[in-house]
């Protein structure tokens, strides 16, 4: 396993930068999904991501990763593929700030998963935090109903909550992966796996629609995705997941600003209230001590 110096404050700042970069990417992807559809955008972006990551990783590769590390790369890439597809499909149907706010329930889902599959006890703070955060989700959905966004927005909301479930799994996998490989290796194998998955999907959905005049924006989305992945890889190798996960909440500010500037989406009071309740619930739950993830044997 690779060992690096722990630099928590620097890792926190880099993670904040990663959130900002990926929030801009979310706005670009929302526009592309509206124009081309989720399958076409995801397929072409995966090819662009692979080209960029290969150019960064292959010339400097020192050794091929072990089978154990490859399993971690594959597992996280599968989760990321489903997570991204659900999220980008969802934000094409709901306001950007609202969609980002709904993903904030991921840390609490992670606590529930730990209880179900790792037999970890859920303390009173976790129960209170989960209740407050769930109430925040209800507030956002009520605001959605009040705005009469329609059934398409409801389906988008369900997709984003499904994406948050995947992201809860991703939080743990990202920390394990960052401790086993450098950011360039992580990005390369994630891009390779995602590209192969979408190539397989083409067998069922047919060849993706040609992007025509959107090639430039697909390139921008791929560059932002690569940069965000590298920044997160660097940060999570140097800071605990429970410490860095708080940076995710800054995405709401970016989502609100970009949604207003790019898509002319007003920020409703209920969305802001719901987001604040979700963040408060997560912070209450996170005040209990979270153990570091167990070591994984990366030699196999």
């Amino acid at each position: 396993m690779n060992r690096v110096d722990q630099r928590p404050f620097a890792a926190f700042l880099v993670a904040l930068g990663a959130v900002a970069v990926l929030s801009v990417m979310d706005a670009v992807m929302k526009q592309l999904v509206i124009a081309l559809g989720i399958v076409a955008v995801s397929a072409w972006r995966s090819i662009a991501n692979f080209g960029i990551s290969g150019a960064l990783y292959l010339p400097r590769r020192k050794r091929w990763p072990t089978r154990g590390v490859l399993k971690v790369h594959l597992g996280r890439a599968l989760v990321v593929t489903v997570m991204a597809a659900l999220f980008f499909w969802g934000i094409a149907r709901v306001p950007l700030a609202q969609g980002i706010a709904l993903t904030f329930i991921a840390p609490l889902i992670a606590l529930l998963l730990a209880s179900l599959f790792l037999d970890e006890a859920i303390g009173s703070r976790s129960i209170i935090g989960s209740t407050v955060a769930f109430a925040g989700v209800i507030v956002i959905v009520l605001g959605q109903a009040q705005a009469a966004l329609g059934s398409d927005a409801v389906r988008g909301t369900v997709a984003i909550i499904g994406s948050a479930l995947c992201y809860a799994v991703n939080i743990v996998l990202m920390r394990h992966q960052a401790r086993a490989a450098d950011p360039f290796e992580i990005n390369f194998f994630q891009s390779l796996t995602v590209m192969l998955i979408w190539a397989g999907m083409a067998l069922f959905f047919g060849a993706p629609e040609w992007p025509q005049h959107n090639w430039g924006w697909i390139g921008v989305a791929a560059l932002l995705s690569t940069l965000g992945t590298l920044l997160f890889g660097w940060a999570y190798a140097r800071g605990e997941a429970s410490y860095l996960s708080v940076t995710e909440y800054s995405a709401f500010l970016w989502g609100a600003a970009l949604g207003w500037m790019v898509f002319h989406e007003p920020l409703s009071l209920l969305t802001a209230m719901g987001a604040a309740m979700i963040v408060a619930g997560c912070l209450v739950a996170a005040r209990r001590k979270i153990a570091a993830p167990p070591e994984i044997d990366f030699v196999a």
Side-chain angles (χ1 to χ4, degrees), residues 26-27 29-34 37-39 41-42 81-103 140 144 149-164 198 263 265:
D26 290 342
M29 286 294 292
K30 173 168 179 154
Q31 184 60 49
L32 287 171
V33 171
I34 292 173
I38 186 63
V39 175
V41 171
S42 298
T81 301
V82 177
M83 177 186 77
L86 288 173
F87 178 72
F88 293 134
W89 189 88
I91 61 171
R93 290 157 175 79
V94 301
L96 190 58
Q98 185 182 105
I100 289 175
L102 289 170
T103 65
I140 291 176
Q144 202 175 69
L149 296 177
S151 59
D152 210 28
V154 174
R155 289 192 291 271
T157 297
V158 172
I160 292 170
I161 292 175
S163 177
W198 282 108
F263 302 102
E265 297 169 346

Side-chain angles (χ1 to χ4, degrees), residues 206-248:
E209 179 184 345
W210 190 254
Q212 297 180 359
H213 305 298
N214 291 294
W215 270 115
W217 286 112
I218 288 176
V220 169
L223 286 170
L224 292 173
S225 175
T226 298
L227 179 57
T229 299
L230 293 177
L231 291 174
F232 263 138
W234 191 95
Y236 272 80
R238 292 162 176 81
E240 296 291 339
S242 56
Y243 173 65
L244 298 179
S245 63
V246 180
T247 61
E248 297 285 350

Side-chain angles (χ1 to χ4, degrees), residues 7-9 25 83 143 173 177 184 242 249 285:
R7 299 166 60 185
F9 183 67
M25 185 203 68
M83 177 186 77
L173 292 178
Q177 190 182 36
F184 294 98
S242 56
Y249 302 135

Side-chain angles (χ1 to χ4, degrees), residues 35-58:
L36 299 173
I38 186 63
V39 175
V41 171
S42 298
W44 291 118
R45 192 189 68 146
S46 71
I47 294 172
N49 279 343
F50 176 69
I52 295 170
S53 63
L56 292 172
Y57 170 69
L58 293 175

Side-chain angles (χ1 to χ4, degrees), residues 107-115 118-130 242-243 281-292:
L108 294 179
I109 296 175
L111 290 177
L112 296 176
L113 291 177
S115 173
L118 301 178
D119 295 323
E120 294 184 5
I122 299 181
S124 59
R125 288 188 180 279
S126 297
I127 295 173
I128 294 172
S130 299
S242 56
Y243 173 65
C282 289
L283 293 177
V284 168
R287 289 187 66 181
R288 74 176 185 86
K289 182 176 178 56
I290 300 176

Side-chain angles (χ1 to χ4, degrees), residues 55-73:
L56 292 172
Y57 170 69
L58 293 175
R60 61 186 298 277
R61 181 176 65 86
K62 297 179 180 178
R63 60 183 176 82
W64 201 252
T66 65
R67 183 182 301 177
V69 174
L70 284 174
K71 288 180 181 178
V72 177
H73 289 328

